[in-house]
Amino acid sequence: MLDKYIVADQNCTTLPVRCGCFYFETSVLLPPRSDRGTGRSVRLQPAEDNTVRGFPAPAAKPTTSPIATNGQLFPWNRMRLPKTVSPVHYDLSIHPNLTTLDFTGVVRIQLDVHEDTSTIILHAKQLEVSNVLLLAPEGVRPLQVLEYPGFHQLALLSDSVLTKGRKYEVQLEFAANLSDSFHGFYKSSYRTSSGEVRVLASTQFEATFARGAFPCFDEPAFKANFTIQIIREPQHIAISNMPKIKTVELQGGLLEDHFDTTVKMSTYLVAYIVSDFMSVSKTSQHGVKISIYAVPEKIDQTAFALDAAVKLLDFYDDYFDIPYPLPKQDLAAIPDFQSGAMENWGLTTYRETGLLFDPEKSSASDKLGITKVIAHELAHQWFGNLVTMEWWNDLWLNEGFAKFMEFISLDITYPELHVDDFFLGKCFEAMEVDSLSSSHPVSTPVENPTQIQEMFDDVSYDKGACILNMLRDFLTPEAFEIGIIRYLKRYSYQNTVNSHLWESLSNICNSDDLDEGRMEHREFCSKRKLPSAASKWYSGREVRLSQERYLKAEDPSLTEGFLWQIPLTYMTSASNTIHRFLLKTKTDVLYLPEEVDWVKFNVDMSGYYMVHYVGEGWNSIIKVLHHNHTALSSNDRASLIHNVFQLVSIGKVRLDTALELSLYLSKETEIMAVTQGFGELVPLYKLMEKRDMAALENQMKAYIVDLFRGLIDRQEWTDSGSVSQRVLRSYLLLFGCVRNYPPCLNKATQLFKEWKDSDGSKSLPVDVTMAVFMIGARTPEGWDFLFEKYRSSLQMSLRSRLKTAMAFSPMQDKLKWMMEQSLHGEVMKTQDLPDVIVTVSKNPHGYKLGWDFLQANWHTLIKKFELGSSTISYLVSGVTNQYSTREMLDEVRRFFSSLTEETGSEMRCIQQAYETIEENIRWMDTNLPLLQAWLDRHSRRVAHEDL
């Protein structure tokens, strides 16, 4: 699943598992041993302890004696299901009624019995279950049913023993309302251009929501085959994981579609949709039928996604050396969808913005986003669907790999998108969360549904991807590919844990199953001698290294006792050769063969760690950036900007040192370094916007505008250039307009007037529309015009930009109205409510409105978006993470401490909100005087230079 709101994570890493963020220091910076060739043979050991201090792992708490809804003792007292029986095959018949908005169904489950038992425990949530039968070899008989809603469990009690080794079947009838959230089997709707509202029903079962659609063993390790039938009215179509094999006419004019039996898979991957969608199709080179489904009036926006899906599925088929195992792959654009997309096997589902593309109105970033989300979900067809984590504690095995493969696949299939320019940002976002003591290892114990939902965060996605990138760089791309193909082939249709991956990546060329591998893999291992991770020492200049956990908390005990194996890379002023060294100890000494002016560790930031250059180290780095910044790659420059400002937060570097480094940005042109510069500098004045300190705030804003003035002035108001250049243009012109930089402000004002005067018919360059709309939203007339275009447009990315611009208006009445309308979901979709609230909260005119709205509607929000979900986390973080006063910290604490566990008081995101505000307060208290003094000195320096 690709979550729309995923953006951050960090808490470093022993190479394999116990990832907690770390940094290391160099005194005189000068490292390692030598370039040790391309392949490396290394034994990767998973960490022994997956807990993080300050955030205890959840207890596996059996209750003493659960009481069923009828007052009887419930015969099972754990959240996880027993392993006495397991499902082999489900026959599932579903009949959704899109008029009454409910559904009925029957499921027959074939079981294997592993231990003698008279009790079957499975899941059901808010279902009316009836007529429960045991189909045994000796006949059919009813079963007693007990329900324990606390664990979403049913107990089916037999009056005779089910014997180990024999097969049985159970049959259950069930009924429920279509969910009005975005999970389970839920109602979606859309409005046609004529104003007609049409209803459809769709599924979203990850992580624990299949149990709300039919009784099942709703844990990923209980894989089974599914044969599905769907009853519908003639004006609708039904699609599911597998192709339809026949349609049967029923009484009353209804139709029943029968779908082919699935491969063996987990319940969370089951999917079905009943709708009036239309489709377009193509066949891949490997013979797989690929179809895009969308509402009829938007089917003409599917061509790009269809071509991308064909190209990417063919790529994965070849790259993984495992044929895609299903005869078809559908991609469906759902009008109401909480996540970004979902990898259901054979029927991936998406937000409309994640699939629909209009060449005339969609931006370069839209194209990049759509290809990335399709690449992510199709990667899951192997990582997650074919090979599935055994339990949700290892979710990163699914999501980290899919996020990582987005970049690997697009780099090869769509080189013109320059996707590498955007990968590093994922690691920076991961590190932001990972620096909090409330972060967690990528693999961490979870038990209940809320904790499971919380695993869908930046640690599992972005940090997981960055760790895999570090492993790929360390092992070499060829060796890494051998290892993951071995992993997929060995565990196809099975469930895995972390250690299975490390074993597959270890001693890659010593594997018996290489005989089954591709020719190029055997050649790689026969031709390359893979040296050990240690090589000979060089004599020369001494460099001292030490490592510790990077953590923003003030408690030093939280940084003690952590030791990682860090795959260091470095280059020097004397050579652009990349040298490597595996740092296994707390401290070490390296020697360089010659005197150098500077050393840059973590080349291209391929490793998930930060570097602190002590002594004169940062000054030498600043010198090279000021005099010859292109001596370092764009990624190296971006990582230096990130590292130096992050190290200010923990007192390792003075703020004025970081600001001196930032001065070089006036010469920067590459997207990653520019956006990282903005990413470190803009939050400084955003903190001030929440305080009464306009003078310093405006001084900081003026410094940033002045820093990037030259680059902004060079931007054309067109759609020319590469994807990275176009994304950067949008970013720079939007910033210039928001900051009232006169050339941007005047041009955007002129373009908005022309566009409005033409009633929206004038064609604007797509890359500049966000800046133009943002200026237009500043007046009541302009805002109303934007809203009218929002309401009438069928183009999803255009609607998204209009919505964001309107939510950044200075008019508070409009901001309140937007949040209320998004909550009701009629004029503005409720799926967009989190974006609206967070955008309003980032708006200097609306930040308090966002916080007030979150408090007033908390109980509605957690019902709609589910406790523990990344959407709720995104809301909590997005609304509160720019507060920096003790008064606001107290107010935030008062509200969240008033909640109960059932309403979210134990969620990790709340602890993260406290930590973030506390860190903001510390930063302001420590650094505001330094910032004021430096800006004053800089102003005098500039004035002197101008004389």
Side-chain angles (χ1 to χ4, degrees):
M1 181 163 68
L2 184 68
D3 199 290
K4 181 174 187 294
Y5 306 104
I6 289 296
V7 196
D9 150 36
Q10 121 186 355
N11 203 315
C12 292
T13 170
T14 84
L15 197 52
V17 180
R18 169 179 154 203
C19 290
C21 195
F22 56 82
Y23 72 93
F24 73 87
E25 297 185 350
T26 73
S27 65
V28 188
L29 17 47
L30 309 160
R33 315 197 174 177
S34 75
D35 186 6
R36 282 179 301 283
T38 50
R40 279 162 208 91
S41 177
V42 59
R43 184 68 180 173
L44 302 175
Q45 296 292 343
E48 296 176 4
D49 175 17
N50 282 335
T51 62
V52 169
R53 299 180 196 193
F55 192 80
K61 49 177 184 183
T63 69
T64 47
S65 299
I67 304 299
T69 52
N70 66 353
Q72 289 182 230
L73 283 179
F74 194 78
W76 183 248
N77 66 349
R78 294 180 181 273
M79 186 75 68
R80 299 280 297 273
L81 298 179
K83 294 185 170 63
T84 50
V85 301
S86 62
V88 176
H89 184 271
Y90 291 79
D91 269 302
L92 175 63
S93 178
I94 293 279
H95 179 198
N97 187 319
L98 299 188
T99 302
T100 58
L101 302 181
D102 55 19
F103 64 93
T104 57
V106 180
V107 64
R108 180 183 293 191
I109 311 173
Q110 183 181 337
L111 302 172
D112 272 346
V113 178
H114 307 292
E115 299 176 22
D116 288 356
T117 184
S118 56
T119 304
I120 300 167
I121 309 293
L122 71 165
H123 287 114
K125 181 181 179 183
Q126 295 178 346
L127 296 174
E128 294 179 16
V129 176
S130 60
N131 297 329
V132 180
L133 303 174
L134 176 68
L135 286 65
E138 52 272 15
V140 177
R141 58 180 183 271
L143 294 172
Q144 183 187 356
V145 181
L146 299 179
E147 181 181 6
Y148 182 57
F151 289 170
H152 307 157
Q153 289 174 357
L154 296 179
L156 313 183
L157 308 182
S158 171
D159 53 12
S160 61
V161 172
L162 280 62
T163 307
K164 176 181 177 180
R166 297 182 65 185
K167 292 190 184 299
Y168 298 83
E169 288 186 328
V170 292
Q171 179 173 297
L172 306 93
E173 297 180 16
F174 56 93
N177 292 324
L178 288 171
S179 171
D180 60 0
S181 71
F182 298 98
H183 297 102
F185 194 23
Y186 70 94
K187 183 201 88 165
S188 176
S189 65
Y190 69 95
R191 190 182 299 271
T192 67
S193 56
S194 64
E196 179 190 358
V197 175
R198 296 185 181 176
V199 176
L200 60 132
S202 183
T203 58
Q204 170 60 45
F205 290 165
E206 190 177 35
T208 59
F209 302 108
R211 64 191 65 174
F214 61 98
C216 57
F217 295 79
D218 198 16
E219 294 181 6
F222 287 106
K223 288 191 171 187
N225 304 104
F226 295 81
T227 303
I228 295 172
Q229 298 92 42
I230 299 175
I231 299 172
R232 60 177 172 86
E233 294 179 303
Q235 69 268 30
H236 296 129
I237 64 165
I239 52 177
S240 186
N241 303 84
M242 296 296 287
K244 184 173 66 175
I245 54 177
K246 67 177 179 179
T247 298
V248 177
E249 292 188 12
L250 305 179
Q251 290 183 342
L254 296 174
L255 301 176
E256 183 178 63
D257 292 328
H258 292 238
F259 296 90
D260 207 349
T261 301
T262 71
V263 294
K264 189 178 177 184
M265 66 185 195
S266 304
T267 50
Y268 77 87
L269 296 171
V270 173
Y272 35 87
I273 301 169
V274 177
S275 69
D276 67 342
F277 286 176
M278 294 180 66
S279 66
V280 293
S281 303
K282 282 188 176 180
T283 301
S284 74
Q285 291 180 359
H286 295 84
V288 178
K289 182 181 179 182
I290 299 177
S291 303
I292 310 288
Y293 286 83
V295 303
E297 289 183 302
K298 297 174 185 174
I299 197 67
D300 60 345
Q301 299 176 42
T302 58
F304 177 76
L306 181 59
D307 289 341
V310 170
K311 184 182 288 190
L312 286 161
L313 197 72
D314 278 329
F315 167 80
Y316 287 134
D317 217 310
D318 293 333
Y319 184 87
F320 294 136
D321 197 31
I322 300 172
Y324 175 72
L326 306 186
K328 63 95 174 176
Q329 168 65 222
D330 296 336
L331 299 84
I334 311 298
D336 297 281
F337 202 76
Q338 179 184 346
S339 303
M342 177 61 206
E343 67 266 22
N344 317 299
W345 216 346
L347 174 52
T348 53
T349 47
Y350 302 77
R351 279 196 169 211
E352 289 185 319
T353 50
L355 208 59
L356 304 180
F357 182 84
D358 183 338
E360 299 299 317
K361 297 178 181 177
S362 297
S363 68
S365 58
D366 294 331
K367 178 180 283 190
L368 177 66
I370 288 168
T371 49
K372 282 176 63 181
V373 71
I374 293 172
H376 184 103
E377 303 313 324
L378 295 187
H380 269 310
Q381 307 303 298
W382 285 264
F383 278 102
N385 300 6
L386 183 67
V387 179
T388 312
M389 77 269 137
E390 186 170 294
W391 181 243
W392 298 105
N393 64 305
D394 282 331
L395 175 68
W396 86 279
L397 289 174
N398 286 13
E399 298 299 350
F401 258 111
K403 175 61 66 176
F404 174 70
M405 289 307 301
E406 287 178 35
F407 293 89
I408 297 298
S409 62
L410 295 188
D411 186 48
I412 296 170
T413 57
Y414 285 89
E416 70 274 14
L417 294 180
H418 299 289
V419 71
D420 278 352
D421 287 345
F422 304 93
F423 181 77
L424 200 56
K426 294 299 169 187
C427 302
F428 294 152
E429 291 164 359
M431 287 179 169
E432 185 63 33
V433 170
D434 217 11
S435 65
L436 304 175
S437 61
S438 51
S439 185
H440 61 93
V442 286
S443 179
T444 196
V446 291
E447 181 184 357
N448 63 50
T450 298
Q451 293 164 350
I452 292 168
Q453 285 289 99
E454 288 183 315
M455 289 299 290
F456 291 83
D457 66 359
D458 294 331
V459 174
S460 296
Y461 286 74
D462 295 343
K463 180 176 176 177
C466 295
I467 291 168
L468 291 168
N469 185 60
M470 178 167 65
L471 284 170
R472 182 174 184 259
D473 179 71
F474 183 71
L475 295 170
T476 74
E478 300 94 335
F480 183 83
E481 185 180 345
I482 293 170
I484 60 174
I485 289 172
R486 179 206 294 186
Y487 170 77
L488 289 171
K489 288 186 174 181
R490 184 176 294 178
Y491 297 108
S492 290
Y493 304 103
Q494 299 178 58
N495 297 84
T496 59
V497 296
N498 261 310
S499 59
H500 294 142
L501 175 63
W502 310 131
E503 289 162 5
S504 298
L505 290 173
S506 297
N507 299 322
I508 287 159
C509 291
N510 299 328
S511 171
D512 293 338
D513 58 6
L514 272 177
D515 291 339
E516 306 297 322
R518 284 191 267 186
M519 176 65 72
E520 59 265 35
H521 291 163
R522 296 198 300 274
E523 288 177 353
F524 171 81
C525 289
S526 64
K527 291 179 181 177
R528 305 271 182 108
K529 181 179 180 183
L530 303 185
S532 66
S535 187
K536 71 174 187 175
W537 290 92
Y538 280 118
S539 61
R541 189 170 175 187
E542 184 178 275
V543 183
R544 300 180 186 276
L545 305 174
S546 65
Q547 62 160 292
E548 66 180 85
R549 183 183 178 192
Y550 175 75
L551 194 66
K552 289 182 178 177
E554 290 186 304
D555 185 353
S557 67
L558 295 176
T559 63
E560 296 172 357
F562 289 86
L563 180 65
W564 293 271
Q565 295 185 34
I566 309 175
L568 301 183
T569 56
Y570 75 98
M571 58 183 293
T572 75
S573 59
S575 169
N576 58 8
T577 300
I578 299 175
H579 300 279
R580 300 177 184 275
F581 172 60
L582 186 63
L583 179 64
K584 300 179 180 179
T585 53
K586 193 77 172 175
T587 61
D588 210 332
V589 179
L590 304 176
Y591 301 92
L592 288 187
E594 57 188 322
E595 296 286 326
V596 297
D597 295 327
W598 52 264
V599 175
K600 169 63 172 70
F601 282 91
N602 201 2
V603 177
D604 287 332
M605 201 168 166
S606 57
Y608 188 72
Y609 56 89
M610 287 187 282
V611 184
H612 174 33
Y613 302 92
V614 300
E616 285 299 302
W618 278 112
N619 289 336
S620 64
I621 291 289
I622 291 170
K623 188 179 297 183
V624 71
L625 287 174
H626 285 187
H627 292 95
N628 183 25
H629 68 283
T630 56
L632 297 167
S633 71
S634 171
N635 274 8
D636 277 329
R637 302 194 301 267
S639 70
L640 288 168
I641 296 165
H642 172 267
N643 286 188
V644 74
F645 277 94
Q646 292 301 309
L647 292 165
V648 169
S649 297
I650 60 171
K652 293 289 183 180
V653 174
R654 283 174 55 93
L655 176 62
D656 46 10
T657 299
L659 292 169
E660 286 294 322
L661 184 146
S662 76
L663 286 168
Y664 107 88
L665 285 164
S666 63
K667 299 179 289 186
E668 186 58 82
T669 59
E670 297 295 328
I671 185 170
M672 194 65 247
V674 170
T675 53
Q676 194 55 38
F678 277 110
E680 299 297 344
L681 294 169
V682 168
L684 306 190
Y685 76 69
K686 297 301 288 184
L687 292 176
M688 299 176 209
E689 285 179 343
K690 317 299 184 291
R691 294 180 171 209
D692 184 18
M693 47 193 328
L696 182 58
E697 174 191 329
N698 289 330
Q699 202 175 352
M700 185 67 200
K701 290 174 178 176
Y703 168 66
I704 302 173
V705 170
D706 188 60
L707 196 60
F708 294 104
R709 182 190 311 270
L711 190 58
I712 294 172
D713 288 344
R714 292 198 295 275
Q715 301 305 307
E716 299 177 350
W717 292 68
T718 67
D719 286 336
S720 61
S722 69
V723 169
S724 294
Q725 290 168 334
R726 293 180 61 185
V727 171
L728 182 58
R729 175 187 299 126
S730 298
Y731 194 104
L732 289 166
L733 295 181
L734 176 60
F735 174 79
C737 286
V738 170
R739 292 277 54 82
N740 297 315
Y741 178 51
C744 290
L745 184 61
N746 295 337
K747 182 68 173 178
T749 302
Q750 171 202 334
L751 288 174
F752 183 76
K753 182 179 184 305
E754 293 173 359
W755 183 67
K756 183 173 179 292
D757 288 346
S758 73
D759 194 30
S761 63
K762 175 182 171 61
S763 179
L764 293 173
V766 178
D767 295 346
V768 310
T769 51
M770 195 69 207
V772 173
F773 296 162
M774 199 73 82
I775 295 303
R778 291 181 173 181
T779 67
E781 301 78 18
W783 194 98
D784 290 343
F785 184 75
L786 290 170
F787 174 70
E788 187 55 40
K789 294 304 169 189
Y790 171 88
R791 188 165 61 177
S792 62
S793 175
L794 292 173
Q795 213 287 315
M796 302 313 296
S797 60
L798 174 61
R799 284 169 60 93
S800 179
R801 290 192 292 277
L802 291 165
K803 173 197 66 185
T804 300
M806 290 187 293
F808 214 77
S809 169
M811 296 175 289
Q812 294 195 348
D813 58 329
K814 300 290 192 185
L815 303 180
K816 290 179 183 177
W817 185 87
M818 277 188 77
M819 291 189 289
E820 290 163 359
Q821 289 300 315
S822 299
L823 182 63
H824 297 148
E826 294 176 9
V827 180
M828 308 186 85
K829 287 280 189 185
T830 302
Q831 67 172 12
D832 296 329
L833 176 61
D835 271 339
V836 171
I837 296 172
V838 170
T839 304
V840 168
S841 298
K842 302 300 184 194
N843 183 339
H845 303 280
Y847 68 90
K848 198 67 169 65
L849 301 178
W851 169 238
D852 291 343
F853 188 89
L854 183 77
Q855 295 176 87
N857 296 282
W858 178 258
H859 297 287
T860 302
L861 293 170
I862 60 174
K863 182 179 179 183
K864 193 76 177 176
F865 298 110
E866 299 289 341
L867 276 183
S869 70
S870 52
T871 303
I872 294 297
S873 177
Y874 169 74
L875 278 166
V876 171
S877 170
V879 169
T880 64
N881 66 8
Q882 290 178 354
Y883 295 150
S884 64
T885 65
R886 286 172 177 80
E887 291 77 14
M888 278 310 301
L889 176 60
D890 291 342
E891 189 173 327
V892 170
R893 282 191 185 278
R894 272 196 304 274
F895 173 69
F896 286 125
S897 62
S898 71
L899 304 177
T900 63
E901 185 173 356
E902 291 70 30
T903 56
S905 65
E906 300 299 311
M907 288 191 299
R908 184 187 290 125
C909 63
I910 293 174
Q911 179 62 34
Q912 290 174 338
Y914 297 158
E915 284 192 71
T916 299
I917 300 172
E918 288 166 351
E919 159 58 20
N920 291 344
I921 293 169
R922 282 196 301 271
W923 196 100
M924 297 289 267
D925 289 349
T926 302
N927 291 300
L928 278 184
L930 282 170
L931 179 61
Q932 181 72 74
W934 189 88
L935 288 172
D936 289 344
R937 284 199 310 274
H938 175 68
S939 298
R940 288 194 297 270
R941 194 186 320 172
V942 171
H944 178 74
E945 291 170 354
D946 289 343
L947 291 176

